[in-house]
Amino acid sequence: MRFVRVLGLLVVVLVLLSACTAKQTVSSSFFSQIRHVYFLPDGSKLTVCGVIAKSDQWNEDIKPSYANFDIHDGKYRTHVYWKFPSTGKPTWFQPGTNVSVSGTYWISNPKHLEEPEIVADSVQPLGKCASCTTQSTSASSEPPFALRVWGAAGEVAGSCYQITVGSKNILIDCGSFMNGDDAQLSTPSNVHRDTDPFPFDPVSIDAVLLTHAHDDHMGRIQYLYADGFNGKLWMTKATKAIFVAKLDELIRYSRLSASAQVGLKERIERSIKTVDYGRTVHVTKGIDATFVDTGHIPGSASIVLNLQDGKENHTITFSGDIGSGHHPFLNTPDLASLSHTDTETLVIESTYGGETRDYPEDKDLYREFLRQLKQALDKGHLVVISTFALDRTQRVLSAIEEGMRNDELPRSLNVAVGGKSSCYLTNIYVEFQNNQKKYRDYFSDRFWSEKPLANPFWHYLRGDNCENTAEEEKRTDFKQFDIIVTPSGTGGSSLAKYLIQKYASDPQVTFIKVGWAPSYSPMGQLAHTEPGGTIEIDGQKYPVRAEVIARDDISGVFSGHADQNMLLKYISSFPKLSTVIITHGEDDARNALETAVKEQNPQLETIKPVYGEAIDLQCLSTTH
Ligand SMILES: [Zn+2]
Ligand SMILES: [Zn+2]
């Protein structure tokens, strides 16, 4: 019950004048008079609470979907127009549901005279124990446990979850929406921008906990600090090594002004607190956290939170990204440790919630990758391997090293690593490997016994210190190399794009794609074009005469993500679990995972939150 007070007290509660950040609280009797009292400035932001009275005008044919509906509180009704930010109608959206509506209030604008009176930015269910009519009478002073979802809702990107305990707030991750300014990367489910103002006050956040150092989990951290966040930033030691290495670029390529960038890196670094796997740390009043290995990338963790408020407590776990369980250098996800937690609520990723992979063939596919590589090399081709800078590049290098060692590839290959991030991240892996004492727990026994990167046989196109410019890199005589490993890039000025422009029509070159690339990107186009077809880059057409190998099965071997089987195994490791909140996946993937979860354990409640949805954790826990 208590949560609801915060969300939307009976009544209109907040008026945020959109032009400035000043907040104005409107008296609680306001909402019931909303149609009659016109003192609210046109175009001002407000949040109201009510019951959905009518929801029949839902139009799913138009993307993004929109809804026209009334909400009522007692005898008064207000019309709402809502452009729903995801790909379909949420399951909770039906008459009788208590919702909190945030949006813009219009009354006098001629455009809106007959149309909606509130244009909603977000509509959130209040949870099944919530009701608009009970909350205003709730006199309890004890605040709730609440989870708010600010990203990765119906999409993979933008992970950012707010946990509230009393007056304390923390974030789990603060990730990029990964769409930059590129309209092609915007989908109906991905309408947010990294530079949008945060939907909460960064000053009010007491701490941020990072699950791992991928951009979709950490890519908005710089904005958080620039907007006043002043708390501690918790992460594992291996995550810190990667995070700090990426911080320079994160800040430099942000939209922050030059003056806002001054000293920012140092400020962020100073606020970092490291934690090892398995050790419980006190984050802030009422919140303890334990990081548990997920085997996704070095340092990746699930975060178990013990929330405490007076006599009440709740355990919620954020899965972070879960590894495939087949990463040669990392340990398998530590399900044993998770099984000893009291986790009642699980927030889980669902990137590949709808896919299963046939792992027994793993080894053969590794061999297959090396066979394909050898065939191309035997033909005297230059081989360009397009892959991710973090973890994938290093695994590809290790596979090449293994191939050379086992005579599956020619003994002495001339291998180059292109791109700046691939350069400094590979150097971080070498550093990991040379610091076994510090990083022992972060890698598998195989990593420590084989030391696959101990003998750097590759050449960095950006120079050993990774400081050469992209222009200098492009002046390389690429054909002096046998293999070039380069980040796949999504366009822009990436090396992959340059090499594709240069060599797509060269029959003496083989491109191998290891990992995902958007279908319109140069690598994505190449992967989807039949031999003899053409691709188009920056308005120019290139006939494809190079050999292109883009096999999902080979890519899958290098995947850092759990498939559906692994996700189900992960979920079943929690003995006290009652609710599974499915995030970090496209709608198809999370629907598939939800179905599988229900099949495996019909007792579990599943929630697929929308952006901005607030979930009353106490309500969840008391109803089970
Ligand atoms: Zn990740
Ligand atoms: Zn992720």
Side-chain angles (χ1 to χ4, degrees):
M1 295 300 160
R2 305 179 218 154
F3 173 61
V4 182
R5 280 182 305 111
V6 173
L7 249 198
L9 299 180
L10 191 146
V11 193
V12 177
V13 190
L14 278 181
V15 176
L16 288 165
L17 295 173
S18 49
C20 63
T21 53
K23 287 178 186 170
Q24 186 186 342
T25 303
V26 180
S27 80
S28 64
S29 61
F30 175 74
F31 178 67
S32 56
Q33 303 171 46
I34 197 165
R35 279 172 178 268
H36 311 288
V37 182
Y38 297 152
F39 69 79
L40 197 63
D42 227 17
S44 56
K45 294 279 185 185
L46 53 74
T47 299
V48 299
C49 173
V51 175
I52 297 177
K54 198 171 67 177
S55 65
D56 50 346
Q57 295 183 63
W58 183 276
N59 190 331
E60 300 214 29
D61 299 332
I62 297 171
K63 301 290 181 201
S65 313
Y66 67 85
N68 275 298
F69 61 98
D70 288 350
I71 58 168
H72 69 85
D73 176 41
K75 57 183 172 173
Y76 297 104
R77 286 184 177 227
T78 301
H79 195 70
V80 180
Y81 171 86
W82 180 33
K83 233 182 181 183
F84 181 62
S86 189
T87 48
K89 184 174 169 178
T91 48
W92 52 262
F93 189 86
Q94 46 201 318
T97 308
N98 282 289
V99 290
S100 168
V101 174
S102 296
T104 311
Y105 177 78
W106 297 101
I107 196 74
S108 64
N109 187 326
K111 238 171 88 186
H112 297 277
L113 265 182
E114 291 166 32
E115 260 293 289
E117 285 153 23
I118 297 173
V119 179
D121 299 323
S122 74
V123 178
Q124 305 164 1
L126 290 178
K128 60 186 166 209
C129 5
S131 124
C132 284
T133 48
T134 53
Q135 55 192 294
S136 67
T137 55
S138 164
S140 167
S141 61
E142 256 166 84
F145 304 135
L147 162 68
R148 288 177 177 79
V149 178
W150 300 121
E155 60 177 304
V156 169
S159 277
C160 182
Y161 309 99
Q162 182 183 357
I163 284 283
T164 304
V165 176
S167 60
K168 297 295 181 185
N169 287 283
I170 65 165
L171 295 183
I172 305 295
D173 291 339
C174 188
S176 164
F177 290 106
M178 308 298 285
N179 49 11
D181 296 322
D182 196 336
Q184 290 179 92
L185 276 172
S186 273
T187 64
S189 64
N190 188 332
V191 295
H192 305 282
R193 290 281 177 280
D194 291 354
T195 46
D196 289 348
F198 287 103
F200 45 80
D201 182 1
V203 177
S204 71
I205 303 296
D206 298 284
V208 177
L209 282 58
L210 274 196
T211 59
H212 65 292
H214 267 149
D215 289 357
D216 61 318
H217 297 259
M218 55 165 260
R220 279 187 288 160
I221 289 276
Q222 69 283 27
Y223 298 117
L224 202 63
Y225 280 79
D227 287 355
F229 169 67
N230 196 26
K232 294 283 178 236
L233 178 58
W234 292 86
M235 62 187 81
T236 63
K237 282 181 188 138
T239 297
K240 181 181 176 183
I242 300 168
F243 175 80
V244 169
K246 291 171 83 167
L247 205 44
D248 258 332
E249 291 197 309
L250 196 65
I251 293 170
R252 190 173 327 140
Y253 297 119
S254 73
R255 288 298 189 82
L256 294 171
S257 67
S259 62
Q261 293 188 17
V262 173
L264 186 56
K265 186 182 183 216
E266 292 70 25
R267 190 152 74 86
I268 295 175
E269 271 193 71
R270 270 200 308 275
S271 71
I272 296 175
K273 300 271 268 181
T274 58
V275 54
D276 282 319
Y277 289 138
R279 223 191 84 223
T280 299
V281 291
H282 181 64
V283 175
T284 186
K285 185 168 181 261
I287 305 179
D288 288 349
T290 313
F291 288 61
V292 178
D293 193 355
T294 61
H296 167 60
I297 59 169
S300 64
S302 290
I303 300 178
V304 182
L305 294 182
N306 285 298
L307 313 179
Q308 196 139 35
D309 187 25
K311 285 189 190 132
E312 306 280 351
N313 60 68
H314 190 90
T315 305
I316 178 170
T317 292
F318 292 82
S319 73
D321 287 359
I322 303 167
S324 66
H326 296 266
H327 194 303
F329 306 157
L330 302 178
N331 292 309
T332 53
D334 185 1
L335 305 186
S337 292
L338 294 172
S339 74
H340 293 121
T341 69
D342 292 330
T343 303
E344 298 142 85
T345 304
L346 170 65
V347 179
I348 191 169
E349 66 123 325
S350 58
T351 319
Y352 292 107
E355 283 182 33
T356 52
R357 294 187 208 107
D358 204 0
Y359 285 112
E361 292 183 26
D362 251 8
K363 281 248 174 322
D364 288 338
L365 284 169
Y366 260 117
R367 302 278 85 80
E368 180 64 14
F369 169 73
L370 293 175
R371 259 199 306 275
Q372 299 267 356
L373 195 51
K374 182 166 188 303
Q375 273 174 18
L377 293 166
D378 284 349
K379 286 186 267 189
H381 285 192
L382 163 67
V383 179
V384 177
I385 301 175
S386 143
T387 192
F388 303 134
L390 175 54
D391 201 57
R392 219 63 73 85
T393 291
Q394 296 76 35
R395 287 181 62 187
V396 166
L397 288 173
S398 306
I400 295 171
E401 192 273 335
E402 192 187 326
M404 291 195 292
R405 191 162 22 95
N406 296 340
D407 285 332
E408 287 172 275
L409 295 176
R411 274 270 159 159
S412 59
L413 287 169
N414 204 357
V415 179
V417 172
K420 191 179 172 74
S421 50
S422 291
C423 178
Y424 64 71
L425 289 169
T426 301
N427 279 338
I428 295 286
Y429 270 63
V430 173
E431 195 183 309
F432 282 144
Q433 201 182 240
N434 295 335
N435 279 286
Q436 181 162 358
K437 208 169 155 206
K438 185 171 176 186
Y439 296 113
R440 177 73 193 85
D441 290 349
Y442 293 94
F443 293 90
S444 65
D445 291 343
R446 183 173 160 192
F447 181 78
W448 295 121
S449 64
E450 286 184 10
K451 301 213 170 194
L453 304 169
N455 189 5
F457 56 89
W458 57 90
H459 171 89
Y460 290 120
L461 299 183
R462 290 294 185 105
D464 288 343
N465 296 321
C466 315
E467 279 166 3
N468 295 356
T469 64
E471 288 314 310
E472 286 168 315
E473 181 176 51
K474 282 173 189 167
R475 288 199 289 272
T476 305
D477 167 18
F478 297 107
K479 289 236 172 162
Q480 68 179 296
F481 297 105
D482 300 303
I483 301 173
I484 296 172
V485 184
T486 173
S488 34
T490 53
S493 59
S494 75
L495 180 66
K497 173 181 163 182
Y498 181 77
L499 292 173
I500 290 169
Q501 286 173 309
K502 198 172 167 73
Y503 295 125
S505 305
D506 184 339
Q508 295 299 306
V509 175
T510 298
F511 289 91
I512 303 182
K513 174 173 160 285
V514 177
W516 181 82
S519 56
Y520 63 82
S521 71
M523 194 60 224
Q525 284 191 57
L526 214 49
H528 292 107
T529 305
E530 295 294 318
T534 51
I535 58 171
E536 192 177 320
I537 303 171
D538 296 343
Q540 193 167 341
K541 288 196 165 35
Y542 299 86
V544 179
R545 299 208 183 85
E547 181 184 30
V548 180
I549 299 170
R551 280 177 47 179
D552 287 346
D553 55 351
I554 289 179
S555 257
V557 175
F558 291 94
S559 177
H561 274 280
D563 69 346
Q564 190 188 75
N565 291 335
M566 186 67 208
L567 292 170
L568 291 173
K569 204 169 147 193
Y570 180 96
I571 292 168
S572 65
S573 68
F574 299 95
K576 297 183 181 169
L577 193 63
S578 64
T579 305
V580 181
I581 299 172
I582 306 174
T583 62
H584 195 290
E586 300 291 333
D587 277 341
D588 283 353
R590 63 174 180 168
N591 289 340
L593 182 62
E594 180 180 48
T595 306
V597 168
K598 290 279 192 195
E599 255 168 47
Q600 179 174 266
N601 185 354
Q603 304 299 316
L604 289 176
E605 181 176 355
T606 54
I607 297 176
K608 294 176 291 179
V610 295
Y611 178 90
E613 186 164 336
I615 294 165
D616 177 352
L617 298 176
Q618 198 179 28
C619 176
L620 291 175
S621 60
T622 53
T623 54
H624 287 275

